[in-house]
Amino acid sequence: MFKTGFQAGYDLGYEIGKKRGFHPFNGTSIILPTCLPDENAITTIRKIEALTPHPYELIVANAGSSEVTMQYLRKRVGAVRHIAAGNGENIVGVLNKAVFAAHGQTLAVLIGVSPNIDQWLADLIAELERDSSMRTIYVRSAPCIHNAGAHLTSLSGDEDVRFQLNVCCLLFRKGLISDIGLWDENLGTLGESVSEWLSRIPKQNKSMVEASDRFIRPKH
């Protein structure tokens, strides 16, 4: 009886979740592009779930994962959305599909990093909302920051973001996609596509912050 009741409750919750999942929500869609040999989705998912308060949804944009990761994603159906690449589709193409499928009003794309502190998302959202004209926040992996208090170091000036290929996180409102389009799938790497995409946004409408202690890189 216990197993029958558990299964009935699980099936009902799963169906309700699927129906609600088709509607936008006032939260963040966290997207993890993953591709062999550098994929580290399981560690990142566990850290997000431990350090990020709801509302949010998790989406894995999968252009190549290990069998262990695939088994994990199959077990987490309902908690983690899985967008798989089509035949011959590269990492940028599947990221575009994941962005199009996201339901959150704000999107966060994590590129090869895991969150490392409780307030990582709230701090970035606060930076995005600090100025109503702000279009996007991008986080750049940086050398060691000696000032431990420098959690958000906004940089400005004449930097050309096309050459900043070490972006590890993007945060933006989904409406931005309607204005400037998706990532270019014809460029060589995800880093180049992200940097070219950022170059379409006027400098005064984006802010760059250093990763500091907010993220860690997976160990290979």
Side-chain angles (χ1 to χ4, degrees):
M1 291 180 64
F2 172 80
K3 289 183 177 179
T4 302
F6 175 85
Q7 190 61 47
Y10 179 89
D11 292 343
L12 177 61
Y14 180 70
E15 289 301 319
I16 292 173
K18 280 203 307 183
K19 291 177 182 178
R20 288 181 177 176
F22 287 109
H23 302 289
F25 71 100
N26 187 23
T28 303
S29 295
I30 303 173
I31 302 174
L32 313 177
T34 180
C35 185
L36 289 172
D38 297 327
E39 67 97 2
N40 200 44
I42 296 177
T43 297
T44 303
I45 289 169
R46 287 173 175 166
K47 283 189 166 291
I48 289 170
E49 292 178 332
L51 297 173
T52 314
H54 284 279
Y56 67 86
E57 67 170 351
L58 267 173
I59 304 175
V60 174
N62 182 10
S65 292
S66 67
E67 182 57 33
V68 172
T69 297
M70 292 301 298
Q71 291 177 3
Y72 177 82
L73 293 174
R74 284 192 284 268
K75 291 178 181 178
R76 298 301 310 281
V77 170
V80 180
R81 298 177 63 195
H82 180 210
I83 308 294
N87 187 28
E89 191 170 35
N90 62 21
I91 185 66
V92 180
V94 71
L95 174 58
N96 283 335
K97 287 200 307 189
V99 168
F100 185 77
H103 299 136
Q105 294 184 0
T106 306
L107 276 63
V109 181
L110 301 187
I111 304 171
V113 292
S114 302
N116 199 36
I117 60 172
D118 285 331
Q119 296 299 317
W120 74 276
L121 184 57
D123 286 351
L124 293 177
I125 289 176
E127 181 75 0
L128 183 67
E129 295 177 345
R130 179 176 55 81
D131 183 345
S132 60
S133 67
M134 192 69 65
R135 309 295 296 280
T136 190
I137 303 295
Y138 66 103
V139 182
R140 187 176 71 174
S141 299
C144 176
I145 295 179
H146 299 290
N147 179 5
H151 293 302
L152 283 174
T153 307
S154 299
L155 301 184
S156 59
D158 296 326
E159 291 181 281
D160 187 344
V161 296
R162 266 182 251 223
F163 301 105
Q164 294 177 1
L165 302 182
N166 54 351
V167 173
C168 64
C169 176
L170 292 164
L171 181 75
F172 56 95
R173 298 178 183 89
K174 192 174 184 182
L176 180 62
I177 296 296
S178 300
D179 296 336
I180 69 169
L182 292 167
W183 286 270
D184 188 344
E185 300 177 24
N186 297 315
L187 294 178
T189 67
L190 176 58
E192 290 172 339
S193 295
V194 167
S195 295
E196 187 278 330
W197 183 82
L198 282 169
S199 72
R200 302 180 210 162
I201 307 170
K203 290 180 180 179
Q204 66 270 25
N205 294 140
K206 59 179 175 285
S207 178
M208 191 273 281
V209 302
E210 301 290 358
S212 187
D213 60 352
R214 192 164 271 95
F215 297 104
I216 59 171
R217 286 202 169 278
K219 295 179 181 179
H220 300 304

